[in-house]
Amino acid sequence: MSTSLYKRMITIHSVPLPLILLTAGISAGLVATFWLGWAIWQVALLVVFAWLPLFFLKTASIQRQYGWLAFFFILVVTQGAHVLEHVAQMVQIHLLGFSGLQAGGILGMLNIEWVHFTWNSWVLICAVLLVFLFPKNPWLWVLLVISVWHEIEHVSIMSVFLRTGHPGAPGLLARGGAIGGGLPLSRPDLHFFYNLLEELVLIIAYLYQIRRLPVSDEILSPARSQYITGT
């Protein structure tokens, strides 16, 4: 990462250190409740809620200074959180030996076809909007292609679910899928790679867009910089 891009990242995303430390401390305290017998999904939701004020504060700050870049930021963060849920599922399957309903990730109650379909529809809608807003960003076009294919996969899965009432269909390319029997990958593995690829491309596209910000947005007076970054 170039020095110029690094400086822009710091300018755009910096937040008061005391606020970060406070939120991290609250999160650590909430994680400790897991040892008191709380379900992991309850702890996870509380940690998410603890970070929401900081997330909203930073999103509002970006929106004031950089407009639609804030929407870009929202997608990067939310899709990143979604990837973490898939990472948890991979740990459950490949390290802990879980299967079926046991391997539903941290928020297992959301591991249902309608949630998967709705989430990927959200990502696709966001990708279309971002391409419209930032058409000169080539990585957004890559993201659009990937998200369209991912959505097609879930349309295929949903069609089977609505027809039979049985969740867990392999879709098009997972093992047993409709296209040539699929790849030698289970559906959880394949969709982990789909989501990870979307997030990586999204981060690259975000960095590309930040690099293209006008220089005037980067060189701020000390007073204005303090207002924007919250420092």
Side-chain angles (χ1 to χ4, degrees):
M1 185 181 297
S2 68
T3 302
S4 175
L5 179 58
Y6 177 76
K7 289 180 179 179
R8 291 187 180 203
M9 290 289 292
I10 294 298
T11 299
I12 294 171
H13 301 101
S14 62
V15 292
L17 181 60
L19 186 55
I20 294 178
L21 293 177
L22 175 62
T23 306
I26 293 173
S27 299
L30 291 171
V31 170
T33 62
F34 176 73
W35 305 107
L36 300 178
W38 288 35
I40 189 170
W41 67 266
Q42 294 173 316
V43 177
L45 283 179
L46 290 175
V47 171
V48 169
F49 288 145
W51 284 94
L52 280 180
L54 190 60
F55 172 67
F56 289 140
L57 175 68
K58 192 69 261 177
T59 301
S61 174
I62 295 174
Q63 194 280 326
R64 284 195 300 268
Q65 179 64 20
Y66 303 100
W68 281 104
L69 189 69
F71 183 73
F72 216 143
F73 174 73
I74 290 171
L75 184 58
V76 170
V77 173
T78 56
Q79 176 61 12
H82 185 67
V83 170
L84 289 178
E85 181 74 355
H86 279 272
V87 170
Q89 187 180 42
M90 291 296 98
V91 170
Q92 291 171 337
I93 293 173
H94 297 292
L95 295 182
L96 302 180
F98 293 171
S99 61
L101 295 178
Q102 287 183 312
I106 297 174
L107 303 177
M109 79 291 291
L110 298 181
N111 187 27
I112 57 178
E113 299 297 6
W114 278 110
V115 172
H116 293 304
F117 177 77
T118 301
W119 182 266
N120 286 282
S121 298
W122 149 258
V123 173
L124 176 58
I125 292 170
C126 290
V128 171
L129 180 57
L130 286 172
V131 165
F132 175 77
L133 293 169
F134 309 105
K136 295 183 179 180
N137 189 324
W139 291 101
L140 285 176
W141 291 95
V142 176
L143 175 67
L144 181 61
V145 171
I146 298 170
S147 58
V148 165
W149 174 255
H150 197 178
E151 181 72 358
I152 291 173
E153 279 271 25
H154 280 281
V155 168
S156 173
I157 291 168
M158 277 299 297
S159 67
V160 174
F161 175 67
L162 293 175
R163 194 168 59 249
T164 66
H166 299 299
L172 300 177
L173 286 182
R175 186 185 300 119
I179 299 179
L183 300 171
L185 290 171
S186 67
R187 173 178 161 179
D189 289 343
L190 178 64
H191 286 260
F192 164 72
F193 287 119
Y194 279 155
N195 282 284
L196 180 61
L197 182 59
E198 282 178 337
E199 177 66 4
L200 291 176
V201 172
L202 184 57
I203 291 173
I204 295 172
Y206 187 60
L207 294 175
Y208 179 91
Q209 199 60 46
I210 290 175
R211 188 188 296 272
R212 289 175 58 86
L213 288 174
V215 175
S216 58
D217 283 342
E218 179 184 5
I219 304 176
L220 305 171
S221 66
R224 189 176 181 187
S225 178
Q226 182 178 11
Y227 169 74
I228 292 169
T229 62
T231 56

